Amino acid sequence: MKLILLAALAVATPAMAQDMSTSQTTSTTAADPVGGYQPSQPALSGTPQPGVKPVFVQAPSPDQAFPPPAALAHYPICKRGQFDKCMQRGGR
């Protein structure tokens, strides 16, 4: 009986210590906003007035929203493990 009680105490004690230490050491950094990544304000501010028609605007195309980077004047041959901004051997 003492062995079971001792084992239960041994299992419960580190969990309590872990919970206490993580709550004290958790802090926000400059990279993470205080409220997380949720919007800071609601999309609608209150209830729309009767008779007002909502305006729906189409999102820009991906090419306009995220334009591709400009091409380089020269692309060197890829080295081992390099995949970006280089050209495979035998390519034109």
Side-chain angles (χ1 to χ4, degrees):
M1 186 69 167
K2 289 181 183 179
L3 183 59
I4 294 173
L5 183 62
L6 185 60
L9 183 62
V11 170
T13 304
M16 289 179 0
Q18 183 179 9
D19 289 340
M20 291 169 43
S21 65
T22 56
S23 64
Q24 292 174 354
T25 59
T26 303
S27 64
T28 58
T29 61
D32 291 334
V34 174
Y37 292 104
Q38 65 187 4
S40 61
Q41 297 177 345
L44 298 174
S45 58
T47 306
Q49 297 296 324
V52 176
K53 293 185 179 184
V55 178
F56 294 99
V57 180
Q58 185 176 1
S61 69
D63 292 337
Q64 290 175 335
F66 305 103
L72 297 176
H74 172 70
Y75 288 91
I77 301 296
C78 295
K79 297 181 175 101
R80 184 175 296 199
Q82 182 183 8
F83 301 103
D84 293 333
K85 298 182 180 179
C86 64
M87 193 169 56
Q88 296 290 328
R89 290 188 185 271
R92 291 182 178 236

